[in-house]
Amino acid sequence: MIGLCLGLAGAVWAELPTPAFTLAWTHTIEKIRWEEDYRVTADGLVLGEARVKGSGAGMEIPDGAELRNGSWHYQRQLPPLQPLRVGRTPEAGDYQLCIDQRCRPMSDWLGPPQASQPVLELWSCELSSPAADAG
């Protein structure tokens, strides 16, 4: 079964048996929520819709975005990401991982962000066991 792996340089720190997820975070300067929806495929993570509550430093609203329910909704055409690399530091706060509309801090699976590990990778992977815990 294909699922979502979290880790770095191919070392798996957590496995989640999910076909889709939303990665969410709060911009460190503007304090505005940002969300990206991904599908987990054999080729990698496919970005679907993204949403941002407003614009600001490094957060320009893309052309073609639509304002709905207080957020700008847009889509970017990117090839599957394998892996998706994100910065994760104590100063920036933690990401949220949302599965089936239920959001939890990334630290629920990985512990709090550490200055000694400022990067996290997410990728699609063959799960090592069907009992992998989605939480």
Side-chain angles (χ1 to χ4, degrees), residues 61-120:
I61 304 301
D63 291 337
E66 295 179 11
L67 183 61
R68 295 192 313 260
N69 300 323
S71 294
W72 290 96
H73 295 245
Y74 62 94
Q75 289 190 303
R76 292 211 169 115
Q77 298 302 315
L78 298 174
L81 302 168
Q82 191 74 335
L84 167 62
R85 293 177 58 93
V86 298
R88 187 169 181 258
T89 63
E91 301 79 17
D94 209 358
Y95 284 90
Q96 288 189 336
L97 197 59
C98 309
I99 299 172
D100 295 329
Q101 306 293 319
R102 186 170 157 227
C103 296
R104 292 173 47 192
M106 193 79 68
S107 59
D108 282 5
W109 291 280
L110 304 175
Q114 302 287 326
S116 61
Q117 293 178 320
V119 177
L120 172 67

Side-chain angles (χ1 to χ4, degrees), residues 2 19 26-27 30 33-34 41 50 53-54 58 60 64 71 77 79 83 86 89 94 97 100 103-104 115 124 127-128:
I2 293 178
T26 300
H27 190 278
E30 301 295 340
R33 186 170 176 87
W34 197 299
T41 73
K53 292 271 185 192
E60 291 72 32
S71 294
Q77 298 302 315
V86 298
T89 63
D94 209 358
L97 197 59
D100 295 329
C103 296
R104 292 173 47 192
S124 68
L127 298 178
S128 61

